[in-house]
């Protein structure tokens, strides 16, 4: 009992029974605690325990490695049955059971995504050898890298999925289309985004609220960029509903950021500010404020204060967007943040600061490998030169913009 449970970093009586096969685990743990045998309760209810690290190491030293892996495998199955997926993954990895890891990831990647656990999911995907990748684990990688990957990588992932499994069920086809639509909406392929997202909605399982939210978000993005603001608002409303049905309060607030950006575009600045304030208050009361992984909300606040001619606050929020973009390697947020910083610098007659920000935006857009985003940066370059009376330079940038848009 001691040796087998020593492979676990922490344990409960039901987990010990699953690992050892001994039904009297609860009694054994109580006795060990009463005897003060290098065991520490981890909660007031006495449900979870751990051994002293040196004691556990000594016990494991005399246990065959194959037996240790088998214990970890049984622990992984127990954790998975309790929906404790991070713990299940850790045990499966300790068991070196890559088939089980692949199966667990296939079953649970949407749980990780729905809870915003992107870093954890990426870690487990990276730990899974290429030979054990499944179509769904490949798509999970695409989900994780939406804001830092590029369209070519997404196409490679889709090609790998279809090569590995040519016959895909319709709900999974819909999920793939939803992810492709998100990528397309970010890379300026707006007609593709609308086509794929619309088709995705008809194929996705009605209970797959994560994929449906992604499809409607792609529609909202595409309609917003096309200037179809009422259609965009409707799509973002659907996005929010599906995130809330998923039970993710934090993600349910994200569509509001973009809805508020549309309110800014429509000149409804006070309503936009009220929307942002409601987001902030809701996030704070729900305890989600520290979980903001993207600077998108700060970018929109920068836009709002720029419209109000409060340039110091516009610059400060742009810098916050950049800071969060850097910490999360969110290239889209970085490009947008640098462009907003350049606009604030231009408005404050800081030509050197604007040029520096535009240079950083251009370098980041190159990493993002998005023709539409590069064209957007070029357009801002032309506006900057025009504002400073550099007509020749402005014309040159305008020519570059025209060529890029034609491509």
């Amino acid at each position: 009992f001691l040796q087998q449970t020593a492979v676990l970093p922490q344990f409960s009586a039901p987990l010990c029974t699953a690992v050892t096969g001994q039904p009297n685990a609860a009694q054994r743990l109580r006795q060990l605690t009463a005897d003060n045998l290098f065991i520490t309760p981890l909660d007031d209810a006495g449900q979870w325990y751990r051994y002293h690290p040196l004691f556990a190491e000594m016990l494991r030293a005399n246990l065959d490695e194959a037996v240790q892996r088998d214990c970890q495998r049984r622990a992984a199955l127990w954790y998975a049955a309790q929906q404790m997926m991070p713990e299940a993954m850790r045990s499966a990895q300790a068991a070196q059971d890559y088939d089980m890891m692949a199966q667990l990831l296939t079953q649970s990647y949407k749980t990780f995504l729905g809870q915003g656990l992107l870093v954890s999911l990426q870690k487990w995907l990276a730990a899974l050898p290429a030979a054990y990748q499944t179509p769904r684990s490949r798509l999970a990688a695409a989900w994780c890298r939406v804001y830092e990957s590029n369209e070519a990588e997404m196409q490679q992932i889709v090609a790998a999925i279809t090569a590995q499994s040519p016959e895909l069920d319709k709900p999974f086809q819909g999920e793939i289309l939803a992810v492709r639509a998100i990528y397309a909406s970010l890379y300026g392929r707006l007609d593709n985004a609308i086509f794929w997202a619309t088709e995705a909605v008809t194929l996705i399982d009605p209970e797959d609220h994560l994929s449906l939210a992604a499809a409607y978000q792609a529609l909202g993005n595409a309609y917003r960029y096309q200037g179809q603001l009422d259609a965009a608002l409707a799509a973002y409303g659907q996005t929010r509903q599906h995130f809330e049905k998923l039970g993710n309060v934090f993600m349910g607030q994200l569509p509001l950021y973009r809805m508020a950006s549309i309110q800014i575009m429509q000149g409804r600045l006070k309503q936009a500010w009220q929307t942002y304030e409601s987001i902030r208050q809701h996030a704070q009361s729900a305890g989600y404020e520290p979980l903001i992984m993207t600077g998108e909300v700060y970018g929109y606040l920068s836009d709002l204060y720029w419209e109000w001619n409060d340039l110091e606050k516009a610059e400060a929020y742009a810098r916050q967007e950049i800071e969060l973009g850097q910490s999360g390697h969110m290239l889209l947020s970085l490009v947008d943040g640098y462009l907003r910083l350049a606009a604030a610098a231009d408005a404050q007659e800081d030509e050197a600061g604007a040029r520096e920000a535009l240079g950083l935006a251009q370098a980041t857009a190159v990493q993002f490998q998005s023709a539409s985003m590069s064209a957007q940066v070029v357009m801002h370059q032309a506006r900057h030169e025009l504002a400073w009376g550099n007509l020749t330079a402005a014309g040159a940038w305008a020519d570059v913009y025209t060529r890029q848009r034609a491509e």
Side-chain angles (χ1 to χ4, degrees):
F1 181 91
L2 291 175
Q3 286 181 313
Q4 290 180 320
T5 54
V7 306
L8 305 169
Q10 60 185 40
F11 42 84
S12 65
L15 175 56
C16 290
T17 294
V19 169
T20 67
Q22 298 186 25
N24 62 340
Q27 180 181 348
R28 295 290 298 271
L29 292 175
R30 287 195 295 269
Q31 187 62 51
L32 289 170
T33 304
D35 293 343
N36 196 25
L37 190 58
F38 302 105
I39 187 171
T40 303
L42 299 179
D43 54 39
D44 294 337
Q47 298 293 318
W48 287 89
Y49 303 82
R50 67 171 176 83
Y51 293 128
H52 188 282
L54 294 178
F55 181 59
E57 184 178 353
M58 179 194 72
L59 292 170
R60 290 193 301 269
N62 297 310
L63 186 64
D64 184 77
E65 288 187 4
V67 176
Q68 292 190 42
R69 289 194 295 271
D70 192 47
C71 290
Q72 292 285 9
R73 190 175 297 108
R74 290 195 291 267
L77 291 172
W78 184 87
Y79 281 129
Q82 313 308 312
Q83 298 299 310
M84 300 171 67
M85 302 314 299
E87 292 82 1
M89 291 300 303
R90 278 195 290 271
S91 291
Q93 185 181 32
Q96 299 177 22
D97 191 332
Y98 298 118
D99 283 319
M100 179 181 286
M101 285 184 67
Q103 182 180 4
L104 290 172
L105 281 170
T106 295
Q107 294 172 349
S108 66
Y109 70 93
K110 287 182 186 174
T111 300
F112 281 91
L113 291 168
Q115 295 175 356
L117 302 175
L118 301 185
V119 174
S120 294
L121 179 56
Q122 286 180 306
K123 180 182 74 172
W124 297 123
L125 289 168
L128 188 65
Y132 294 87
Q133 293 286 348
T134 68
R136 283 178 166 78
S137 70
R138 294 182 191 279
L139 189 62
W143 275 104
C144 290
R145 293 174 54 81
V146 163
Y147 290 100
E148 59 178 289
S149 189
N150 60 62
E151 202 170 18
E153 290 179 1
M154 179 61 201
Q155 290 171 351
Q156 291 172 1
I157 290 171
V158 172
I161 289 172
T162 53
Q164 184 177 4
S165 183
E167 298 295 328
L168 301 173
D169 61 76
K170 288 187 176 181
F172 189 50
Q173 291 178 34
E175 183 183 346
I176 293 172
L177 286 173
V179 180
R180 293 188 74 181
I182 284 289
Y183 273 74
S185 73
L186 297 176
Y187 285 91
R189 313 294 189 191
L190 304 184
D191 290 339
N192 285 347
I194 292 171
F195 178 79
W196 287 333
T198 302
E199 181 69 12
V201 169
T202 68
L203 296 174
I204 295 169
D205 186 327
E207 297 302 314
D208 184 0
H209 296 295
L210 179 69
S211 298
L212 286 168
Y216 280 113
Q217 181 170 309
L219 280 173
N221 292 346
Y223 286 140
R224 178 164 61 105
Y225 292 135
Q226 286 185 340
Q228 300 185 55
L229 302 185
D230 289 337
L233 286 170
Y236 287 139
Q238 289 285 341
T239 305
R240 187 183 183 198
Q241 287 182 26
H242 284 290
F243 275 134
E244 289 180 345
K245 288 179 181 178
L246 191 63
N248 192 317
V249 179
F250 170 65
M251 295 296 289
Q253 302 303 300
L254 294 181
L256 287 178
Y257 301 164
R258 294 173 186 178
M259 295 170 77
S261 76
I262 292 174
Q263 292 165 354
I264 292 175
M265 295 166 67
Q266 294 173 330
R268 296 184 288 162
L269 303 186
K270 184 175 181 181
Q271 188 174 351
W273 183 87
Q274 290 173 339
T275 301
Y276 287 132
E277 184 63 16
S278 70
I279 295 170
R280 188 193 65 79
Q281 290 179 357
H282 192 98
Q284 191 173 31
S285 63
Y288 284 99
E289 202 166 32
L291 297 180
I292 296 177
M293 296 171 291
T294 165
E296 189 171 1
V297 65
Y298 294 118
Y300 292 144
L301 283 168
S302 177
D303 292 342
L304 181 59
Y305 281 99
W306 192 88
E307 291 287 347
W308 278 336
N309 202 35
D310 190 337
L311 300 179
E312 288 187 2
K313 282 189 176 179
E315 179 183 340
Y317 280 123
R319 291 189 183 280
Q320 285 183 276
E321 180 181 23
I322 291 167
E323 182 180 348
L324 286 176
Q326 289 171 334
S327 64
H329 196 57
M330 301 292 188
L331 298 181
L332 182 62
S333 289
L334 278 173
V335 173
D336 286 343
Y338 288 133
L339 292 178
R340 288 177 170 115
L341 187 61
D346 271 335
Q348 295 177 88
E349 299 186 354
D350 179 5
E351 184 178 5
R355 284 186 186 278
E356 180 183 5
L358 287 169
L360 291 168
Q362 188 172 20
T364 309
V366 169
Q367 295 179 51
F368 204 59
Q369 298 182 26
S370 166
S372 63
M373 181 161 292
S374 294
Q376 182 183 1
V377 174
V378 167
M379 179 182 66
H380 281 265
Q381 294 272 22
R383 287 177 177 173
H384 165 78
E385 299 296 350
L386 189 62
W388 288 94
N390 303 322
L391 301 185
T392 301
W397 282 115
D399 289 341
V400 173
Y401 175 78
T402 301
R403 289 197 301 272
Q404 288 188 349
R405 294 299 293 176
E407 295 172 0

